[in-house]
Amino acid sequence: ADQVRRALAADKHVVCEKPLALTSRETAELVALAARHPTRVCTVNYNLRFYPLNLEARERVKSGGLGAVLHVRGAYLQDWLLYPDDFNWRVLAAEGGETRAVGDIGTHWLDLVTFVTGLEVESVCADLKTVHPVRQRPEGSVETFTDKTAGAKPARRPVEITTEDYGSVLLRFRGGARGVVTVSQVTAGRKNRCTWEIAAARGALAWDSEAPNELWAGSRDKANERLLRDPSLLSAAARAYTNYPGGHNEGFPDTFKQLYRAVYEDVRQGAPSPAPLYATFADGHRELLLCEAILKSARTGAWTPVGG
């Protein structure tokens, strides 16, 4: 938060890695601060929006062809914290915030799904679990996703952990749609899998980050379809952020490239677009409100309004 404040005080454009801050009080302050710099681009680095087929799905929902969204389900699963001697700064509440699996990867899913559907989460009911309440912290620094089989094992000491390894959250969206998401950093074999499925009145869509160049379209009255990413077959909005021809896959690194293309285009124009595709500070603030509501719900065992 302090780095963002200093950058805006210097009248700079800001791309901030998520989370925008550790509390909604801080993010609300940053949203207000960004509003005082209307010609500066202020965005949060939610890159998954910029997979071409996520942009395509968004256009299909916006067009109305699928009808009203009925419900959404999905997950974000990893395995890099499966063992009690797996350790990273993210597991510490003081450094990464009170929620971890939700705050780290769950917010990616929530941002992506609300971006694609246009829905807003109004209340949540959450169940969180810390699988390893004690982890073995190595003496010295540990990089994320490093090869744990290489080199000598460092000395370790036990550390109490309060952040969750797993969580499932029921979602109620404004307007009546429903949803559910599961996040886990202790699912063996799932290295970094984000999935969603949208059920709407006249069709369904599904996407899987482990096969990011395919979009599944489900139908009641005809054969289901599978779209392979090809700019010649995409909507104009998705095609604008697709660089390679059909059959030439685009992946995770390309999402950052496309996000920054959108940012730099607004920088060149001299001000943010009226409705930018990249996540704004307001989006980053909303993710903190969601995290706080999810945490409160898990602690009370009750449905909890977002921002309430």
Side-chain angles (χ1 to χ4, degrees), residues 203-262:
L205 294 173
W207 179 83
D208 183 340
S209 69
E210 290 187 348
N213 290 277
E214 300 178 11
L215 180 67
W216 179 86
S219 301
R220 165 74 181 268
D221 301 317
K222 63 178 182 178
N224 298 333
E225 299 175 348
R226 185 177 60 142
L227 171 66
L228 298 181
R229 186 207 51 78
D230 182 333
S232 68
L233 302 176
L234 300 181
S235 63
R239 187 164 57 247
Y241 293 94
T242 307
N243 281 154
Y244 308 138
H248 298 74
N249 286 335
E250 294 182 59
F252 187 77
D254 297 287
T255 63
F256 293 97
K257 176 183 68 178
Q258 302 297 3
L259 188 161
Y260 301 144
R261 282 182 61 200

Side-chain angles (χ1 to χ4, degrees), residues 116-144:
V116 169
T117 64
L119 299 174
E120 181 182 351
V121 181
E122 64 178 8
S123 61
V124 298
C125 185
D127 179 39
L128 308 180
K129 181 174 178 60
T130 303
V131 173
H132 299 299
V134 175
R135 287 183 178 271
Q136 300 300 316
R137 180 174 188 167
E139 303 292 352
S141 63
V142 176
E143 298 297 329
T144 306

Side-chain angles (χ1 to χ4, degrees), residues 167-207:
S168 283
V169 186
L170 293 172
L171 308 165
R172 288 177 179 168
F173 296 100
R174 196 172 306 282
R178 296 294 193 263
V180 60
V181 59
T182 292
V183 295
S184 170
Q185 294 176 320
V186 290
T187 299
R190 294 302 185 191
K191 304 306 178 184
N192 191 56
R193 189 188 192 197
C194 178
T195 60
W196 55 255
E197 182 169 308
I198 299 166
R202 292 192 291 274
L205 294 173
W207 179 83

Side-chain angles (χ1 to χ4, degrees), residues 242-299:
T242 307
N243 281 154
Y244 308 138
H248 298 74
N249 286 335
E250 294 182 59
F252 187 77
D254 297 287
T255 63
F256 293 97
K257 176 183 68 178
Q258 302 297 3
L259 188 161
Y260 301 144
R261 282 182 61 200
V263 168
Y264 291 143
E265 180 59 31
D266 280 1
V267 169
R268 282 192 292 269
Q269 291 179 4
S273 302
L277 292 175
Y278 50 79
T280 64
F281 276 17
D283 296 316
H285 172 58
R286 191 172 300 111
E287 294 301 315
L288 262 293
L289 291 174
L290 279 163
C291 284
E292 291 173 355
I294 289 168
L295 188 63
K296 182 177 179 180
S297 173
R299 289 172 174 173

Side-chain angles (χ1 to χ4, degrees), residues 19-36:
L20 180 59
L22 294 184
T23 70
S24 63
R25 180 188 58 78
E26 286 184 319
T27 55
E29 176 196 341
L30 296 180
V31 170
L33 186 59
R36 296 202 289 271

